[in-house]
Amino acid sequence: MPGKIRTAQTVSFDVPAAEQPGLHNRWHPDIPSIGTIKRGETVKIECLDWTGGQIGNNDSADDVRDVDLTKIHYLTGPFDIQGAEPGDLLVVNITDIQPFDHAPWGFTGVFDRNNGGGFLDRHYPRAAKAIWDFDGIYCSSRHIPGVRFAGLIHPGILGCAPSADVLAQWNRREAELISACAQSMPGQIVAQPPNEANAHAGQADGDLRARIAREGARTIPGRPEHGGNVDINNISRGSTTYLPVHVPGAKFSVGDLHFSQGDGEISFCGAIEMAGVITIRFDLIKNGMKERAIASPVFRPGDVQQLFGPSRYLTFEGFSVDEAGKQHFLDATVAYRQACLRAIEYLKQFGYSGEQAYLLLSCAPIKGSIAGIVDVPNACTTLGLPMDVFQFDISVEAERVKRDLGACPVAAE
């Protein structure tokens, strides 16, 4: 008979995240491990929300407007996986993810354009927020009424520590990008270089802590060598992810739990962000990077999915022509932005504000895809909106009734 699953690491809601030695918010090979997990072992790992508790369950978006982005993401770890060596593949099988019983809620946010912004920040420059309440597998929001759906719970971030060489490569190539774009894209943040401000290096102290703060890579982007902040909603319960190992022990970390997220997480803080507990079974494929020809993360989705029939998606198309009518060449980013804007304008007919619709597209289970990327000059993207998350008919044939659907909190500039 199997024994009780042990909790490999707990977190506290009462101690600031930056003071908890089991957390860190930079990637670096020398952040000390907080524990060892055996090959084949299943453990529970507790996680705070990605901001470390900066966002409250209230009706104001001021906390989203004022969030300190030098403090994110707070990850739990790193953990040594017994027997892991560089060149192996770490097998991460997620068996469960749940919010804390004492905190059954999450949030979705639009960041202020001057503090992180989002995919549509030129159109929605002010901070906005929606709080979601969880009822088992379902969620609903007092700030976006008229919708209820089951969440596909997943971690936004899971990855192994980089080696010193991999870390140097990250910092070098991202610095080169910043330099290359300095004149062509003035004022545009194109990458996040190392930043010592509010760096949390876990149990490291003294000179080691200072060096990690100085060299450590930010957790903002996912990276091809280890995964990290990939925000893929199908890495959910039952999924298996294969991560390249670059340092002895692998030094695995996880965090940024999401109750639900649409493809693209378009508002940046666009999932239903939550604190909770993730249960993972770990294994290894020895020398798997070479023998399986895998240099970047690969995953198999689990058996848990939201069930919407193909005909129950209303799908919007976007092309590489922006809202000003300017033609772009095979630009899928422009095309997907146009699909998002068209879906938002459509939802406004039913009584939603633009901010409500923007938040909803970020966290509801929309399906985004590149439909065509070979027909010059226009890439074609699609955004599938599941009609069954709404408690009223939003089909093209439905009678247009502009309902009173309230408003979400929007902060002053």
Side-chain angles (χ1 to χ4, degrees):
M1 187 173 180
K4 181 180 179 181
I5 297 173
R6 77 178 177 96
T7 298
Q9 182 62 44
T10 61
V11 296
S12 172
F13 280 60
D14 301 318
V15 177
E19 298 176 13
Q20 298 189 43
L23 305 178
H24 64 97
N25 65 0
R26 300 292 191 269
W27 291 112
H28 195 284
D30 296 330
I31 296 176
S33 298
I34 62 171
T36 299
I37 299 171
K38 296 178 182 178
R39 180 177 179 177
E41 186 180 9
T42 299
V43 298
K44 294 180 181 291
I45 301 172
E46 295 186 359
C47 302
L48 294 179
D49 80 83
W50 74 298
T51 72
Q54 294 185 61
I55 308 303
N57 186 347
N58 54 45
D59 300 320
S60 169
D62 289 357
D63 50 6
V64 174
R65 178 195 64 199
D66 301 332
V67 70
D68 188 340
L69 294 178
T70 65
K71 295 183 177 180
I72 55 88
H73 299 88
Y74 285 102
L75 307 179
T76 306
F79 296 95
D80 281 335
I81 309 302
Q82 195 173 70
E85 298 172 308
D88 294 344
L89 290 176
L90 180 64
V91 183
V92 181
N93 177 221
I94 298 172
T95 61
D96 198 13
I97 316 174
Q98 297 291 340
F100 286 108
D101 290 341
H102 60 83
W105 65 276
F107 62 90
T108 304
V110 174
F111 282 173
D112 188 281
R113 188 179 185 185
N114 294 318
N115 188 26
F119 193 50
L120 307 179
D121 59 0
R122 285 179 293 174
H123 303 269
Y124 297 97
R126 296 164 62 191
K129 182 172 78 175
I131 296 296
W132 297 85
D133 295 308
F134 306 149
D135 179 14
I137 65 171
Y138 296 99
C139 64
S140 58
S141 173
R142 62 183 181 270
H143 297 136
I144 309 178
V147 294
R148 185 173 186 264
F149 54 90
L152 189 61
I153 308 180
H154 60 281
I157 298 179
L158 69 169
C160 299
S163 66
D165 287 344
V166 169
L167 176 62
Q169 182 180 347
W170 291 353
N171 288 336
R172 180 175 60 252
R173 72 188 183 206
E174 290 169 22
E176 289 172 352
L177 177 66
I178 293 170
S179 178
C181 295
Q183 292 186 341
S184 61
M185 302 172 65
Q188 177 70 46
I189 297 174
V190 297
Q192 293 280 0
N195 185 344
E196 296 180 48
N198 294 310
H200 183 28
Q203 297 177 347
D205 57 16
D207 291 343
L208 177 58
R209 174 180 287 273
R211 183 164 61 82
I212 291 170
R214 186 171 61 252
E215 301 173 349
R218 301 297 303 280
T219 57
I220 295 290
R223 295 179 175 94
E225 293 82 1
H226 85 145
N229 190 29
V230 293
D231 291 319
I232 297 173
N233 53 21
N234 281 316
I235 300 180
S236 184
R237 288 172 292 181
S239 68
T240 302
T241 301
Y242 305 88
L243 296 174
V245 174
H246 296 285
V247 298
K251 288 194 170 181
F252 171 85
S253 300
V254 64
D256 187 24
L257 302 186
H258 299 166
F259 189 85
S260 176
Q261 181 209 296
D263 287 346
E265 196 183 13
I266 59 174
S267 76
F268 181 23
C269 184
I272 300 179
E273 311 286 350
M274 71 174 211
V277 185
I278 184 168
T279 307
I280 301 175
R281 183 183 186 276
F282 291 93
D283 209 336
L284 292 170
I285 298 177
K286 300 299 293 180
N287 202 29
M289 291 179 66
K290 180 179 179 180
E291 293 185 358
R292 303 297 195 273
I294 293 176
S296 295
V298 174
F299 76 94
R300 280 204 326 260
D303 296 323
V304 178
Q305 298 287 333
Q306 292 116 323
L307 298 177
F308 303 110
S311 66
R312 299 303 298 162
Y313 285 88
L314 189 61
T315 300
F316 299 83
E317 300 178 9
F319 301 89
S320 304
V321 180
D322 66 26
E323 59 275 13
K326 180 180 178 180
Q327 180 72 61
H328 298 260
F329 178 71
L330 291 182
D331 194 323
T333 300
V334 170
Y336 196 58
R337 184 178 289 115
Q338 294 308 302
C340 293
L341 290 170
R342 288 166 186 160
I344 289 171
E345 288 303 310
Y346 186 86
L347 290 175
K348 285 182 178 179
Q349 300 175 94
F350 300 95
Y352 289 114
S353 69
E355 287 82 4
Q356 286 176 308
Y358 184 14
L359 288 164
L360 183 60
L361 293 185
S362 293
C363 64
I366 67 168
K367 295 297 182 186
S369 67
I370 296 176
I373 201 157
V374 296
D375 295 323
V376 297
N378 282 333
C380 176
T381 64
T382 61
L383 185 158
L385 180 62
M387 295 188 286
D388 293 338
V389 307
F390 297 90
Q391 295 174 327
F392 48 85
D393 188 359
I394 67 156
S395 67
V396 175
E397 293 79 10
E399 181 182 356
R400 289 326 191 235
V401 177
K402 200 157 189 177
R403 296 160 175 82
D404 181 3
L405 295 172
C408 63
V410 178
E413 292 187 49

